[in-house]
Amino acid sequence: MSTSTATEHRVSTERHGRVLLIRMERAAKRNAVDAAMTAALDAALNELEDDPDLWCGVLTGGPTVFCAGTDLAGGAGEPTPRGGNYGVVKRERSTPVIAAVEGVAYGGGFEIVLACDLVVAGRSARFGLPEVARGLVANCGALFRAPRPLPLNVAKQMLLTGRPLGADRAYELGLVADVVDDGGAEAAALALAQQVCANAPVAVRATLRAVETVAGESDERGWAATREATEAVLASADRQEGVAAFLEKREPRWSGR
């Protein structure tokens, strides 16, 4: 195993044979994504895709939290040319990525999970889309990706209420591939990645491209609909109030404008 640590850039990477483990390193802020983390995630995923010796990736937030989404105080920085928002959600890949989730994967954190190919979760993990509680919309893929692994009514419930989904329920519904004891998601995801790497890499890449071609047919329409929804709230007083209330730790006072 080889390790590259760059905590000042929010991410560390470890090579486990042909698997690249990518770990978000901002646990004190629940791995909220700022500009530095966006850049670091983009660089790590570029390495995964560009190195022919790497056949699978594991993306994790560590033993206590996956990611709470965008850093609302400073923002997530500009989308990257290859990865889009967070350096992740618009990326075209042929190398599989497994999300190893402990604790919360909320907002953009859940949208990062939805951009991965497989999900392994600790039993206490929770997935949520609380954007509407901030006067925002989920603008990093959840509007069209959440209804793919989840029943439409469950996806709507998450998007319209912000109510989180637990790991066991997410497993029952098909979002999560494996549920393990808390603290074991990273090891279980690495073991799953090694199973992927035991197979022919050309066949794995071709299979993933084919599945993504079919499953991603509506991505262009999905991103267009997301842009329309985002534009509808960007200039609203409710958006300003929602973010202000969150930062000031108080209940929002909605005006409906």
Side-chain angles (χ1 to χ4, degrees):
M1 180 185 77
S2 62
T3 304
S4 171
T5 302
T7 54
E8 71 275 17
H9 295 129
R10 306 288 196 256
V11 166
S12 66
T13 59
E14 297 173 6
R15 288 186 176 229
H16 295 253
R18 295 191 180 278
V19 179
L20 184 68
L21 174 67
I22 303 167
R23 186 185 294 115
M24 292 175 276
E25 298 275 8
R26 204 187 183 199
K29 295 292 186 180
R30 301 204 301 174
N31 288 331
V33 182
D34 60 3
M37 185 175 285
T38 289
L41 284 171
D42 185 68
L45 288 166
N46 288 347
E47 178 184 357
L48 174 65
E49 192 65 18
D50 294 343
D51 190 333
D53 290 330
L54 292 170
W55 293 357
C56 192
V58 171
L59 178 57
T60 182
T64 60
V65 63
F66 185 76
C67 176
T70 298
D71 184 335
L72 289 183
E78 292 298 314
T80 66
R82 290 180 65 177
N85 297 71
Y86 309 136
V88 179
V89 299
K90 286 191 175 183
R91 181 173 294 272
E92 295 183 4
R93 290 182 291 98
S94 60
T95 305
V97 175
I98 301 169
V101 182
E102 303 278 3
V104 301
Y106 280 180
F110 184 34
E111 292 179 292
I112 290 173
V113 170
L114 289 170
C116 295
D117 303 298
L118 295 168
V119 184
V120 176
R123 202 163 301 279
S124 297
R126 289 173 295 157
F127 305 87
L129 295 164
E131 282 85 354
V132 291
R134 315 280 185 252
L136 305 169
V137 296
N139 68 347
C140 291
L143 294 184
F144 56 94
R145 285 181 177 148
R148 290 176 183 169
L150 294 170
L152 181 59
N153 64 323
V154 175
K156 284 184 177 180
Q157 183 182 64
M158 295 183 73
L159 286 160
L160 298 179
T161 71
R163 182 188 299 180
L165 193 67
D168 285 329
R169 180 64 171 151
Y171 174 77
E172 292 172 1
L173 294 171
L175 170 68
V176 170
D178 290 310
V179 177
V180 298
D181 290 339
D182 289 339
E186 183 177 300
L190 284 169
L192 184 58
Q194 296 294 355
Q195 292 177 34
V196 172
C197 291
N199 299 304
V202 174
V204 168
R205 289 194 296 267
T207 297
L208 184 59
R209 281 194 297 266
V211 171
E212 285 300 306
T213 297
V214 175
E217 281 180 349
S218 62
D219 272 15
E220 186 173 343
R221 291 177 57 199
W223 287 120
T226 298
R227 284 193 298 272
E228 291 178 12
T230 302
E231 289 168 2
V233 303
L234 275 179
S236 70
D238 277 352
R239 171 186 176 273
Q240 298 172 33
E241 169 61 14
V243 174
F246 175 78
L247 295 175
E248 295 167 13
K249 296 181 171 56
R250 60 173 174 81
E251 290 296 317
R253 297 182 288 272
W254 304 121
S255 67
R257 298 191 300 275

